[in-house]
Amino acid sequence: MKLRRSQSTQLKNRLSGTLRSWLPILQSSLEELEELLQKYESENPYMQVQSGFEEQFSAKFTHKVLYQSDNSSTTEAIEAKTIQNLSLYEKLNEQINAPLFPTPKSIDIAYAIIEEISDEGYFTGDINEIAKKVKAEPYQVESIRQRFSYLDPPGVGSVNATEAMLFQLRQSGVEEPIYSLVSDMLQDLQNLSKFKNSSNYEEALKVIRSFKNPPALDNMEDSPPVIPDLIIVEKSNGIEVQMNDLFYPDIIIEDCSLDHEFVKKKIKEARDLIDALQMRKATLYKIGLMIVEFQYDFFQGGDIKPMKLKDIAQEFDHNPSTISRAIANKYLACERGIFPMKTFFTTGIDEEVSNAVIKKFIADAIASEDKNKPLSDQKLLDMIEAKFGVKMVRRTITKYRKQMKIGGSSERKRFYQLA
């Protein structure tokens, strides 16, 4: 009996240690996982984290190198790449000097404005707040912001797309009478048709089409390539779920024969991490199986169906919050592309139609709409109700469209006219 109790206690302690490690490991994305394990490694001299992540990644994704060793043969190449790829903010900071910004006050204001410029190059701050911050008048701040129209990239510091194009016009080198016509057209984009009789209309339109929108488009960083945790493979006998083991780190426990409490403790912690890593894999694998079961039609070319976190939580006997952690920042790859795992958990319009399906229908309909007569939200609603046999309200269509960052019909029509 004593031996059995001792074994039970050891197993309970082992499981509690594993579970403590499991949740942080489960919640980490595949890219973050190695970094997390390396923190454990730094505190444990008897474990080593080994990963073929960089090697495998550079082999599979040759278009983007994530890691470069720092040695003498590559230093110049790295420096050259760094110089060529200054961030938007580094580029702007380098330009804050005379003659555009000749005084310390103008420089202070310019730097404060840069802090309020988005990655897209738009000014998103408040002139009055900046004025208070730098102890200046609002008109002085606005005057300095207008000088940004002469900085690179052209259009940076503008408050919206129209002003961005007006800023770009100032640097375009376009001469009169085209310059004035372009300026008038930009300030009245809603009524472009009234300019069609101008002899320089087509040339002015060509100038407008040359402007970049958003202004910092060329300086925006590429999104890092996504590495999926799960791979869905279609085979002749069905669909198979595979773990993307290729990019998983391995934990190596150092061989040590020292009979010391500290050593025993650290080796136990390393073993708990190995168990937690296996639990992560097992949990995601089971979730993958459930996704395939619930969303089988999607992997055969159909639509995503309504599916809730609690559907899987009940099957796992877990809390929905645990499932939410498990799918956060995780991706699934299949023949149709790479998808965030949360994509497959959607609320339902009814039992057969999910909001993801409705959004896709809206996006597809707008992509193929008549450019001279864009679809209104009411028309989209009528089409959805006819196709799917569901009842909805127009404001829901408007909400979905805005969530997908798609403009209204009148806004789209103006841009179609420009294009």
Side-chain angles (χ1 to χ4, degrees), residues 80-327:
K81 185 175 179 61
T82 304
I83 291 168
Q84 291 169 6
N85 294 307
L86 290 175
S87 73
L88 171 65
Y89 304 101
E90 289 170 333
K91 183 177 286 189
L92 290 175
N93 285 330
E94 284 188 349
Q95 299 174 76
I96 305 306
N97 46 44
L100 281 175
F101 311 101
T103 65
K105 175 62 76 175
S106 66
I107 289 174
D108 288 344
I109 295 173
Y111 283 139
I113 290 172
I114 289 175
E115 291 177 5
E116 303 296 336
I117 289 179
S118 70
D119 291 342
E120 293 182 330
Y122 291 116
F123 174 73
T124 58
D126 185 294
I127 293 293
N128 292 318
E129 289 299 319
I130 291 177
K132 290 179 185 176
K133 179 180 176 182
V134 298
K135 296 181 172 54
E137 294 298 325
Y139 78 86
Q140 292 175 302
V141 177
E142 176 59 21
S143 174
I144 295 297
R145 187 186 71 83
Q146 287 294 324
R147 296 182 201 177
F148 274 61
S149 64
Y150 300 101
L151 297 185
D152 185 46
V156 72
S158 54
V159 295
N160 53 38
T162 298
E163 190 179 50
M165 289 188 282
L166 286 167
F167 276 18
Q168 291 175 67
L169 178 61
R170 293 180 188 176
Q171 294 194 47
S172 65
V174 173
E175 298 179 351
E176 294 292 358
I178 308 287
Y179 186 99
S180 294
L181 178 58
V182 171
S183 180
D184 291 343
M185 289 169 66
L186 289 176
Q187 293 178 75
D188 197 7
L189 281 173
Q190 296 184 6
N191 301 296
L192 279 181
S193 57
K194 76 179 187 182
F195 298 99
K196 283 189 174 180
N197 294 329
S198 169
S199 59
N200 297 311
Y201 176 76
E202 289 299 329
E203 194 169 347
L205 204 56
K206 190 183 295 183
V207 171
I208 293 174
R209 288 171 180 163
S210 71
F211 295 148
K212 286 188 170 62
N213 214 337
L217 187 63
D218 291 343
N219 293 87
M220 292 173 69
E221 293 183 6
D222 295 333
S223 298
V226 169
I227 302 174
D229 268 89
L230 295 174
I231 301 172
I232 309 301
V233 181
E234 293 187 31
K235 296 193 171 182
S236 57
N237 58 346
I239 296 176
E240 182 178 301
V241 178
Q242 297 178 358
M243 292 301 301
N244 190 7
D245 288 324
L246 189 64
F247 295 103
Y248 262 87
D250 289 320
I251 298 174
I252 310 283
I253 298 178
E254 300 289 342
D255 186 18
C256 183
S257 56
L258 286 176
D259 187 12
H260 191 282
E261 283 303 313
F262 175 80
V263 176
K264 289 179 180 177
K265 179 185 175 185
K266 291 302 178 183
I267 288 178
K268 177 187 177 301
E269 288 175 359
R271 286 176 176 157
D272 287 343
L273 285 175
I274 291 174
D275 290 343
L277 200 56
Q278 290 304 317
M279 285 180 66
R280 171 200 164 96
K281 289 184 180 181
T283 303
L284 290 175
Y285 180 73
K286 284 191 233 176
I287 291 175
L289 291 175
M290 296 298 296
I291 288 175
V292 168
E293 182 178 336
F294 274 84
Q295 305 288 359
Y296 189 86
D297 288 347
F298 171 82
F299 297 105
Q300 296 296 311
D303 294 322
I304 293 176
K305 291 186 176 179
M307 179 180 178
K308 298 177 182 177
L309 287 173
K310 69 178 184 180
D311 295 334
I312 284 189
Q314 289 171 353
E315 295 285 340
F316 274 73
D317 196 23
H318 279 318
N319 191 291
S321 64
T322 302
I323 304 301
S324 178
R325 280 191 184 123
I327 64 172

